[in-house]
Amino acid sequence: MNLHSAVPGNEASREGSPRSALVVAIGRAGCEMALVLRESAPMGLSYVALDADAAAIQSVALPEKLFLGARLTRGFGAGGDPELARTAAEEELPALRALCQGYSLVFILAGLGGGSGTGIAPVVARVAREAGASVFGFVTAPFECEGTRRQQQALVGLHRLKTVADGVLCLPNEKMLLMTDDRTTLLEAFQASSTHIRDAVTCIWNLLTRPGLMNVSFADICAVLRGPNLESAFARVEVEGPDRAEEALRLLMAHPLLARGETLRRAESLLVSFSAGSNLGMGETRRIMDELNRRSDGARVVVGASVDDNGGDRLTVTLVASSRQLVLHEPAEEPVDARASAGASDSSESASSEEGPARTARRMAPPPPELTPELTDQLMSRSATRTKGGRRKPQQVPLPFEIITKGRFEKCEPTIRRGHNLDQPTYLRRGVPLN
Amino acid sequence: MFDFRFLERRPLVVGLEIGTSKVCAMVGEVNAEGVLTIIGIGQCPSRGVRKGEIVEAQLVEEDVRQALAEAEHSADVEIRSVYLGVSGGHVRGFNNRGVQPIVSRDREITSDDVNDVIRNAKAINIPADHYVVHAIRQHFSVEDQDEIRDPVGMLGNRLEVEMHVVHGRTNRFQNAIRLVKGMHIEVEDVVFNGLASSLAVLTAEQKELGSLVIDLGAGVTEYVLYSRGVVKHTGVIAVGGDHVSQDIALGLKVPQGRAEKLKMDHGDAVFDDSVRGVTVPPQNELGLPERPIHVENLRCVMSLRLQETFEIIREELEEAGWLNHLRAGVFVCGGGARIPRILELAERVFELPAFPGNARGISGLASALDQPEFATAIGLVKFGAGQQRKKNDSGRFKRFTSWAPARMFFNLF
């Protein structure tokens, strides 16, 4: 299967133009990721760097660059203000449009939480979609130690991006800590998250372009990535030898990012990609998939297998598990059981009442409506007062989901069916973007 | 001269539906041949009902009073008793089986045995605060012989009956009943709205073939499945037209009132490419400018909600295993049946032919009969007429059997 038949609605690309996918690296973090990605160099990707910081963008070793906000920021960057970055990007709309023209697929790489990535990414996604491309976002959320304000900004940016992109994968950097120890340098930590983003992009790119033993359609990938998932975990294992299926499973289950299978249990959707020589056996595929299916009961699973003749006997399994919650640190005492508490927790809370430990994980909740600036301010001020309140360990504040007014159904008992609150609009629950 | 016609006791049947969008009272009259005619309607916009359940009794009482007054006026009668329609997300239906051993020496099944087995089937394990609205007998079976309509007089060791039981929370039903009784109006019986709609919409043949009736109300969606002439499955989903409006209000960021109007004027059950880029003229009736609305988004939001509602029904029926028993098709009634192309959507989801659910088999005010939103109220009247016919028949029988010497005569044998 190749991309040209997979991407719908772009006649130009069907003719076989080689420049069919564009990687847009936004901000410093995005550029880092793009550089890592470029090293491993999957074929057929073009790169462009975007930033509001003139000095930063000059040092980036990417061939094509676009500097935003010459007038607005005078080249000093957005200073961690997403609104400023967004305005800067909107000033350059024609340039962005020209950039995306002719591509059928646009990957957006960005680190959320700061100014550039958070503010520019949604604008680029919108422009690219308007230009007829399909847009996937690959973003990271900041480390917890970077402060609650950045976390909040990241959340807001993530939601904005989700409403305009075809699919978004978000990798919280905090998860990287699970793979590191005290001696890890900061550089290594960031490098690790870039590597994971690279794996994810490569995985999806391979699924779309390599000849598939098990075909995955573009729509399948969109369906997995589009849902109202907030956080994704990537795991990539490479195994060789006669017992490679068992070995792969063992490595996957031991993978720190999958939290010993806990992540699978929480997952809403799974994307599994096998890459091996043409001797990939049905038995091994089935063994791995059976185990994964068993562990991620009820999740939506998309499987793809592609042939990689250069690898010899090597089997590469890449797993992308997306779940609802953005859990930045693993709960210490008891794991959150999303399934068990879904029915009970969905019912009664409103934005104001959900604080503290009473809040449990909920399996189905819609992505939020677009945040107005007032709402954002309100959220931010709330988190600010909270830290002032002297809580030692800053908690991830509740996601701004229930800002949705219940309107007419405020007074009645909610209609819950299989953990879904049917009073919430269907399009929100299914994550269908409105333009 | 005086008009003495009011002295003749015309057998009146009144159906009262306290719905989420409207309160509707339907007056029917049964003539000497037993033919039912609708002679009057009264309706009033409903204010105190959400999702089919009363939330503000005071408002509901006013609305009911007004609807009844209008019905009395339009039919020129005095309403003393009603058949009350009930609904709500708490109403459930399920199938149950009752067993009764036949102990008489000659193994002949008597009507007492039939009553006993039905009583056994009714003694079911429902929550303590639930009340059985309907216990509909489906089929009897004697030993291993199934599908028996009337087992009296047959021989066997064991009599079984399949029942369909519809039950819901007693207190919620009591709210409506008390409210009506408070107006000094007798409640003859409570009827599940979905069942009433199906009575109005389906013919005997369609019930035999297998049909699904979906009543898309404002607050709740009820569905009833018939196969081989009997009710096999009933259910309520507390999702209705209000949800569609609410979704539009949230999705397009317009007030509820405008959402309602947009739904009426530009709504459609099916979402296709033809509306891409079309906007609603950004002016209201007064010529004041309004924010333009993308019809594409409107239809997308609406279509997703309606499709989901149908899909939920489909899932429920699939789980219960009845989906393959539908041969006559799907009938859509209630206010939702007015949505353009709703039948197309139903056909697509159920993969069955879909028809508008109009009331059949009764005569009367033409304006009422061919409108899908009156199916429930007409069905209530139809149910009531059936009950009264039964009551009259058994009344005659009772008079006969209460004649003491005759009973003694029977007892001798």
Side-chain angles (χ1 to χ4, degrees), chain A residues 42-167:
Chain A
M43 299 298 290
L45 292 175
S46 355
Y47 298 83
V48 61
L50 295 184
D51 204 342
D53 188 338
I57 201 167
Q58 245 147 41
S59 61
V60 173
L62 285 177
E64 211 172 332
K65 298 169 195 179
L66 182 62
F67 165 56
L68 302 171
R71 201 175 57 78
L72 208 66
T73 66
R74 286 171 297 149
F76 292 130
D81 182 0
E83 286 306 306
L84 192 63
R86 192 168 68 125
T87 323
E90 273 166 359
E91 274 185 350
E92 305 281 346
L93 276 187
L96 289 176
R97 215 168 275 145
L99 207 66
C100 302
Q101 209 54 252
Y103 290 101
S104 56
L105 191 57
V106 171
F107 292 119
I108 293 179
L109 307 185
L112 295 182
S116 301
T118 320
I120 298 172
V123 180
V124 176
R126 201 182 69 223
V127 169
R129 271 200 83 183
E130 278 167 7
S134 303
V135 181
F136 286 133
F138 296 87
V139 294
T140 58
F143 284 105
E144 201 179 279
C145 59
E146 290 178 62
T148 41
R149 187 185 158 83
R150 278 176 83 88
Q151 295 282 4
Q152 276 301 337
Q153 286 188 175
L155 258 184
V156 173
L158 178 58
H159 289 314
R160 285 219 174 119
L161 188 57
K162 280 186 104 63
T163 54
V164 284
D166 285 291

Side-chain angles (χ1 to χ4, degrees), chain B residues 192-203:
Chain B
F192 170 50
N193 279 345
L195 193 75
S197 306
S198 70
L199 281 179
V201 165
L202 295 183
T203 63

Side-chain angles (χ1 to χ4, degrees), chain B residues 265-385:
Chain B
D265 295 346
H266 303 279
D268 199 309
V270 180
F271 168 60
D272 53 29
D273 284 347
S274 68
V275 288
R276 215 156 276 251
V278 178
T279 51
V280 174
Q283 274 193 346
N284 61 13
E285 302 84 45
L286 304 170
L288 298 172
E290 282 186 27
R291 201 160 52 81
I293 299 290
H294 288 276
V295 180
E296 182 187 348
N297 288 349
L298 171 78
R299 299 232 173 129
C300 176
V301 167
M302 217 172 146
S303 162
L304 278 172
R305 169 64 83 177
L306 292 168
Q307 192 181 339
E308 183 194 49
T309 311
F310 281 154
E311 275 167 3
I312 290 174
I313 297 178
R314 192 196 150 100
E315 268 171 38
E316 298 273 317
L317 294 180
E318 252 170 3
E319 270 165 33
W322 290 115
L323 204 59
N324 297 331
H325 291 245
L326 296 171
R327 288 185 183 79
V330 181
F331 295 80
V332 184
C333 61
R338 289 193 175 278
I339 300 169
R341 295 203 278 175
I342 186 83
L343 296 177
E344 198 179 302
L345 183 73
E347 277 178 5
R348 216 167 58 193
V349 173
F350 293 99
E351 291 159 7
L352 285 167
F355 307 98
N358 293 337
R360 292 159 195 258
I362 37 176
S363 55
L365 299 170
S367 63
L369 298 183
D370 53 9
Q371 296 194 24
E373 54 268 61
F374 292 123
T376 306
I378 292 174
L380 289 172
V381 175
K382 218 169 170 180
F383 180 90

Side-chain angles (χ1 to χ4, degrees), chain A residues 404-409 411-413 415 417-418 422-427 429-430 432 434-435, chain B residues 50-51 56 172 238-239 242-243 246-247 250-251 256 297 300-301 304-305 308 311-312 315-316 319:
Chain A
I404 300 168
T405 157
K406 294 197 186 104
R408 222 175 129 73
F409 308 116
K411 288 183 210 153
C412 2
E413 149 181 25
T415 309
R417 184 174 184 275
R418 296 189 182 155
L422 297 184
D423 288 348
Q424 283 160 349
T426 316
Y427 77 95
R429 268 181 284 122
R430 297 199 175 167
V432 177
L434 299 179
N435 41 5
Chain B
R50 289 278 181 283
K51 293 188 187 174
E56 278 184 72
R172 310 263 173 103
V239 168
D242 273 358
H243 284 81
Q246 164 97 347
D247 290 0
L250 279 175
Q256 193 86 31
N297 288 349
C300 176
V301 167
L304 278 172
R305 169 64 83 177
E308 183 194 49
E311 275 167 3
I312 290 174
E315 268 171 38
E316 298 273 317
E319 270 165 33

Side-chain angles (χ1 to χ4, degrees), chain A residues 213-386:
Chain A
L213 296 172
M214 289 163 88
N215 270 347
V216 176
S217 77
F218 185 76
D220 286 336
I221 296 180
C222 282
V224 170
L225 297 190
R226 180 184 291 150
N229 315 305
L230 278 174
E231 176 208 309
S232 303
F234 312 111
R236 181 165 181 272
V237 294
E238 290 185 6
V239 283
E240 274 177 277
D243 287 338
R244 55 187 191 176
E246 269 79 21
E247 183 66 10
L249 268 180
R250 197 184 60 74
L251 285 176
L252 278 177
M253 289 315 140
H255 203 286
L257 284 188
L258 295 183
R260 287 178 301 284
E262 177 67 20
T263 313
L264 288 179
R265 202 166 60 73
R266 259 201 332 251
E268 283 276 306
S269 52
L270 276 187
L271 184 67
V272 188
S273 152
F274 294 93
S275 173
S278 41
N279 63 345
L280 178 63
M282 186 65 226
E284 2 182 53
T285 321
R286 223 190 58 195
R287 187 156 322 141
I288 295 177
M289 286 320 296
D290 279 351
E291 182 67 13
L292 292 180
N293 274 324
R294 195 175 63 72
R295 287 191 181 252
S296 62
D297 176 39
R300 174 174 195 152
V301 180
V302 171
V303 195
S306 57
V307 178
D308 176 15
D309 283 324
N310 307 328
D313 191 26
R314 195 170 56 219
L315 167 69
T316 310
V317 183
T318 313
L319 186 79
V320 179
S322 301
S323 58
R324 294 305 305 250
Q325 316 141 271
L326 197 58
V327 184
L328 294 175
H329 44 87
E330 290 300 312
E333 299 87 13
E334 48 179 292
V336 188
D337 187 347
R339 270 155 237 272
S341 57
S345 64
D346 246 11
S347 51
S348 56
E349 59 280 83
S350 62
S352 61
S353 68
E354 44 188 27
E355 290 189 32
R359 193 185 149 82
T360 45
R362 111 191 24 174
R363 185 145 179 256
M364 277 318 291
E370 196 151 15
L371 289 175
T372 57
E374 298 90 58
L375 223 43
T376 319
D377 288 345
Q378 203 185 326
L379 280 167
M380 286 178 178
S381 64
R382 207 201 299 165
S383 66
T385 51
R386 193 174 282 191

Side-chain angles (χ1 to χ4, degrees), chain B residues 57-361:
Chain B
Q58 193 68 42
L59 291 176
V60 177
E61 193 178 332
E62 284 169 26
D63 296 341
V64 170
R65 205 180 288 279
Q66 197 177 334
L68 285 174
E70 198 183 311
E72 284 186 337
H73 185 76
S74 114
D76 196 16
V77 292
E78 186 191 347
I79 294 173
R80 298 222 175 100
S81 67
V82 295
Y83 284 86
L84 181 62
V86 290
S87 189
H90 57 100
V91 179
R92 304 257 180 286
F94 69 96
N95 292 328
N96 195 40
R97 179 174 270 257
V99 186
Q100 170 80 5
I102 308 299
V103 290
S104 67
R105 190 172 296 166
D106 55 0
R107 306 286 177 221
E108 183 181 334
I109 297 164
T110 63
S111 55
D112 284 343
D113 291 325
V114 171
N115 290 338
D116 282 345
V117 75
I118 289 174
R119 200 178 316 123
N120 288 348
K122 276 185 188 174
I124 36 171
N125 200 6
I126 60 168
D129 59 342
H130 276 223
Y131 170 80
V132 174
V133 190
H134 299 287
I136 307 155
R137 75 181 87 149
Q138 296 174 328
H139 292 291
F140 292 99
S141 54
V142 179
E143 287 168 10
D144 288 332
Q145 195 183 352
D146 276 341
E147 305 279 314
I148 296 169
R149 290 281 161 88
D150 186 5
V152 175
M154 296 181 76
L155 302 183
N157 286 323
R158 200 170 60 144
L159 176 67
E160 291 178 26
V161 65
E162 292 273 351
M163 303 270 277
H164 187 77
V165 180
V166 180
H167 65 97
R169 295 226 177 122
T170 317
N171 290 340
R172 310 263 173 103
F173 295 147
Q174 280 297 335
N175 284 341
I177 296 172
R178 272 179 51 142
L179 193 133
V180 175
K181 280 194 173 161
M183 288 181 258
H184 301 289
I185 286 174
E186 200 55 45
V187 175
E188 298 258 2
D189 207 343
V190 289
V191 187
F192 170 50
N193 279 345
L195 193 75
S197 306
S198 70
L199 281 179
V201 165
L202 295 183
T203 63
E205 192 192 1
Q206 285 158 348
K207 289 179 190 170
E208 196 64 41
L209 280 171
S211 353
L212 171 68
V213 179
I214 300 175
D215 188 330
L216 282 173
V220 289
T221 300
E222 294 120 359
Y223 58 96
V224 174
L225 186 140
Y226 278 80
S227 174
R228 285 188 241 156
V230 289
V231 180
K232 292 289 189 189
H233 194 97
T234 54
V236 183
I237 308 165
V239 168
D242 273 358
H243 284 81
V244 177
S245 307
Q246 164 97 347
D247 290 0
I248 294 172
L250 279 175
L252 307 181
K253 303 188 179 71
V254 292
Q256 193 86 31
R258 178 130 199 256
E260 192 79 37
K261 198 164 159 7
L262 282 169
K263 177 178 82 170
M264 303 270 189
D265 295 346
H266 303 279
D268 199 309
V270 180
F271 168 60
D272 53 29
D273 284 347
S274 68
V275 288
R276 215 156 276 251
V278 178
T279 51
V280 174
Q283 274 193 346
N284 61 13
E285 302 84 45
L286 304 170
L288 298 172
E290 282 186 27
R291 201 160 52 81
I293 299 290
H294 288 276
V295 180
E296 182 187 348
N297 288 349
L298 171 78
R299 299 232 173 129
C300 176
V301 167
M302 217 172 146
S303 162
L304 278 172
R305 169 64 83 177
L306 292 168
Q307 192 181 339
E308 183 194 49
T309 311
F310 281 154
E311 275 167 3
I312 290 174
I313 297 178
R314 192 196 150 100
E315 268 171 38
E316 298 273 317
L317 294 180
E318 252 170 3
E319 270 165 33
W322 290 115
L323 204 59
N324 297 331
H325 291 245
L326 296 171
R327 288 185 183 79
V330 181
F331 295 80
V332 184
C333 61
R338 289 193 175 278
I339 300 169
R341 295 203 278 175
I342 186 83
L343 296 177
E344 198 179 302
L345 183 73
E347 277 178 5
R348 216 167 58 193
V349 173
F350 293 99
E351 291 159 7
L352 285 167
F355 307 98
N358 293 337
R360 292 159 195 258

